[in-house]
Amino acid sequence: ELVSMARPTHHSAWLALACWLALAGGDERTATPTLDAEDEAILARQTRCAVQAAPARVVFNRIARTASTTMLTLMLSAARRKGFRVVGGNWTAARASVPPPYIYEAPLWYGDVSSEEGGLTWINMVRAPAKLFGSQYYYQRDCACKILPASTCPRELPNVANVIPHFCQMTIDHAVATWNATFRAGVLKSFFPGPGILVDVFCGTRDPTCHTDDMRAKYDIARRRVAGDYLFIGSVERLEESMLLQQRLLPTFYEGVDVRAFARLHANPGAKQLDPKPSLSTIREVQTALQWDVKLYAFIDRLLDQRLRACNLTR
C-alpha cells in the first residue's frame, strides 16, 4: 500500500533539513551535471509513447511547491467535465469506496505497490532543486512570521521568530551563512520537514537502501523508478509542455481539456516570489550539497525530452 510522506529517520534527514534553509531560486545552470553512460542507456530506451487509454487508478504523489495547486485545479476541472473522481485522504478508504477511474492525490513517498491488484499509474511534477527548496524556505518563514494567511499554511510551526533574532527578515544568503549554528541549537529541527529531497521522494521507503546514506545507490533506485514506474513526470520550468504530454498520455482524463490555459494560469495565492534572490556563491554551495538531486532533475528533464519526442510533441 502507499506510504505516507514523512521525514527520513537516517542521517540524510539532517541534510534535507539543512537544504530547506540553504536553497533558493536562481540559475540551475551554474552546476549542470553530466549524465553518465547508464543514464544515457536508460534514456535511449524511452522510445514509446506509452498512452494509457483506460487507467483505473492514477496516483499523483505530489511534492509541495511544484505547481501542485495548478495540477489539482486542472484535475478537478477535467473531472467535472468527464465524470471521473479526484480523491485524497486515506488510501485504503479511497480504494475501497471510490469506483475507478479516479486520480488519487496526496503528498506521498513512492511506495512499493507491486502487489497492488490491477496496478497503479504514477504521475508527478518536479522543480529545479534550488528553486524548489528556496520556495519552501520562504513559504515556511512567512507562515511562521504570520505574513501569509493561516489558511494557506501548515497547522503547526515552532515559534522560530521568537528564538532566532531577525528571523522574519532572514534571506536565503543569511540563512546559508548561519544555518550550522542554528541547527546545532536544534531550533529548526522540526521547522523544515518538507517532503524530502527529490532522490528521497522517488527512492521511497520500501527498499532498505533508501534509508541509508549511500546517495549513489539511492539515486540508482530513484532513477529506475522515475524511468520505469512513472508514466509521467513534468516540471514547473516546462509547465506547458508537461501538461500537453500528460494530456496525450492520459486521454481518459484530459482529452479535450485546454491544458495550455491552465499552464498560463499557473498561480498559487500562497506562493511568494523569491526576492531577494541568492548570490551566486549561495547557489553553488547549495547545488554542491544537493548534487544528487541536481543530477536526478537533469535526468528527468532529459526524460521529458524523450517522451515528448516519442509522442510527437517536440520541444
Side-chain angles (χ1 to χ4, degrees), residues 274-295:
L274 298 184
D275 188 31
K277 293 185 177 180
S279 65
L280 185 59
S281 63
T282 293
I283 294 172
R284 286 173 174 165
E285 182 175 343
V286 162
Q287 290 182 324
T288 298
L290 279 187
Q291 59 182 302
W292 290 104
D293 262 16
V294 173
K295 183 176 172 67

Side-chain angles (χ1 to χ4, degrees), residues 12 15 19 23 28 31-36 38-39 127-130 133 197-203 212-223 226 285-300:
S12 68
L15 173 61
C19 292
L23 302 183
E28 301 293 298
T32 303
T34 301
L35 299 182
D36 58 33
E38 191 170 353
D39 293 323
R127 186 177 184 180
F133 294 109
I197 57 178
L198 295 180
V199 169
D200 279 336
V201 169
F202 291 110
C203 191
T212 71
D213 295 329
D214 188 342
M215 292 303 296
R216 173 75 232 194
K218 289 166 64 175
Y219 171 83
D220 288 344
I221 294 171
R223 177 186 60 188
V226 160
E285 182 175 343
V286 162
Q287 290 182 324
T288 298
L290 279 187
Q291 59 182 302
W292 290 104
D293 262 16
V294 173
K295 183 176 172 67
L296 184 60
Y297 176 81
F299 179 84
I300 290 171

